[in-house]
Amino acid sequence: MENKHIIINVGRQLGSGGHDIARMLAMDFNAKYYDKEILNLAAKESGFSEKVFEQNDEKKGFIRGLFSMSSPHMSGVYAAGFSQENLFKFQSDAIRKAAQKGSCVFVGRCADYVLRDFDNVVNVFITASMWYRVEQILAKQNVTPQEAKQIILQAEGKRASYYNYYTGKKWGHAESYDLCVDSSVLGMVETEKLIADFVRKKFGL
């Protein structure tokens, strides 16, 4: 395993600290971190504006902003191929290319499914109790606890719909991942250590 790079795909509930834990994992394994960064790579891959990918990030349904954009890429062959499925393909291609170059930590965007044929992959899902996630939202946004809960439920509904549609699996269900962990039990730092230990044991590091 010394000569192989490691890919860690992190699914996460909103407010679970998944982004921060993924960043810590990237530092721990000297890996590239990809969250919204993958949107920039996908934009370069496709020739479309990064804004297109941002507007449709982890969303399923009719493409957003399609008629509001004025771009030279919105005509001819580009217009004919401009669909949510093609955006997903461009994003998937960018994920695969990044994964082939070296160790990576990907956050969301169905990376576990996209990289399902890679043998050096660990798929993790980070959850947390609702009260913990509400507290995280309250610390960042000027909303009530009830509004924070609604933000969480709406965002996760979109994430689940997107993931389920493109992967044929169930977002957040244990059978879709190698490891599921509740970050509100140990806290983010200890949760990262637990995941890192799991990764090292899986690959005999």
Side-chain angles (χ1 to χ4, degrees):
M1 188 67 202
E2 290 87 355
N3 297 323
K4 279 193 174 184
H5 55 265
I6 295 171
I7 309 298
I8 304 173
N9 299 314
V10 179
R12 74 286 182 219
Q13 288 188 310
L14 187 66
S16 66
H19 295 89
D20 292 329
I21 292 169
R23 285 186 185 279
M24 288 188 277
L25 285 166
M27 292 179 63
D28 207 345
F29 288 95
N30 193 28
K32 290 273 191 180
Y33 171 85
Y34 292 101
D35 183 5
K36 290 189 180 296
E37 291 83 353
I38 206 66
L39 304 181
N40 177 261
L41 295 180
K44 291 178 180 177
E45 180 77 20
S46 66
F48 290 120
S49 166
E50 187 175 349
K51 184 178 180 182
V52 178
F53 291 90
E54 290 175 351
Q55 288 179 324
N56 295 277
D57 190 24
E58 293 191 300
K59 297 181 179 73
K60 181 183 75 69
F62 189 74
I63 203 155
R64 298 180 64 200
L66 178 59
F67 301 110
S68 63
M69 296 183 311
S70 57
S71 167
H73 299 303
M74 291 303 295
S75 60
V77 65
Y78 285 97
F82 195 78
S83 69
Q84 206 118 31
E85 280 67 27
N86 277 354
L87 290 187
F88 180 78
K89 181 183 183 301
F90 289 130
Q91 183 172 275
S92 299
D93 289 345
I95 289 171
R96 279 189 286 268
K97 285 187 177 182
Q100 289 167 354
K101 292 179 180 178
S103 295
C104 299
V105 176
F106 294 101
V107 178
R109 295 167 186 85
C110 303
D112 58 321
Y113 176 76
V114 172
L115 301 175
R116 62 194 180 280
D117 294 328
F118 284 56
D119 60 3
N120 53 330
V121 170
V122 177
N123 300 316
V124 178
F125 190 83
I126 300 171
T127 183
S129 64
M130 179 57 78
W131 69 262
Y132 180 91
R133 290 183 285 144
V134 166
E135 287 295 319
Q136 301 305 307
I137 299 297
L138 292 177
K140 297 176 181 178
Q141 300 186 40
N142 184 25
V143 295
T144 67
Q146 186 58 38
E147 288 170 338
K149 185 175 180 179
Q150 283 303 115
I151 290 170
I152 290 169
L153 294 176
Q154 288 176 6
E156 291 186 350
K158 290 176 182 177
R159 279 183 188 172
S161 178
Y162 177 87
Y163 182 89
N164 297 348
Y165 177 79
Y166 284 110
T167 70
K169 301 193 292 180
K170 293 293 185 181
W171 181 82
H173 286 214
E175 62 266 24
S176 297
Y177 309 92
D178 299 310
L179 176 68
C180 296
V181 58
D182 184 337
S183 62
S184 61
V185 175
L186 299 177
M188 288 190 289
V189 172
E190 291 302 319
T191 296
E192 188 277 334
K193 290 180 181 178
L194 184 151
I195 296 170
D197 188 49
F198 177 87
V199 172
R200 292 188 180 98
K201 287 182 177 178
K202 177 175 181 178
F203 294 122
L205 300 177

